[in-house]
Amino acid sequence: MDSYCVNRNAQSNGDHEVHNVTKNCAYLPDWSNRQDLGLHQNCTTAVQKAKQYFARSNGCYHCATACHTT
């Protein structure tokens, strides 16, 4: 299982990006801007968890590609 977080700061389009921390994504937010999502089998459940905090959550294009939407 991998560890995920969501960026507390929204992107310009209003989405909060979900990142795979285990993959050490180059686009991880600063520690102070991360909301921990815990361990997940895949990005789908991580994004579902993120939506409990931020309704507009989306997978990172680089580390959670399967859950990235445009």
Side-chain angles (χ1 to χ4, degrees):
M1 293 213 292
D2 290 341
S3 177
Y4 287 85
C5 73
V6 61
N7 192 337
R8 290 184 175 125
N9 295 326
Q11 296 179 281
S12 59
N13 67 359
D15 285 353
H16 292 263
E17 272 192 328
V18 173
H19 295 273
N20 185 327
V21 178
T22 304
K23 290 185 178 178
N24 200 23
C25 179
Y27 297 94
L28 284 171
D30 290 335
W31 285 102
S32 61
N33 296 325
R34 295 181 194 183
Q35 174 65 50
D36 180 47
L37 299 174
L39 298 173
H40 295 271
Q41 292 282 350
N42 55 55
C43 63
T44 302
T45 58
V47 170
Q48 289 172 349
K49 177 75 174 180
K51 288 183 177 188
Q52 293 176 6
Y53 300 100
F54 307 104
R56 290 193 57 184
S57 294
N58 189 6
C60 170
Y61 174 81
H62 302 280
C63 66
T65 310
C67 297
H68 177 75
T69 58
T70 55

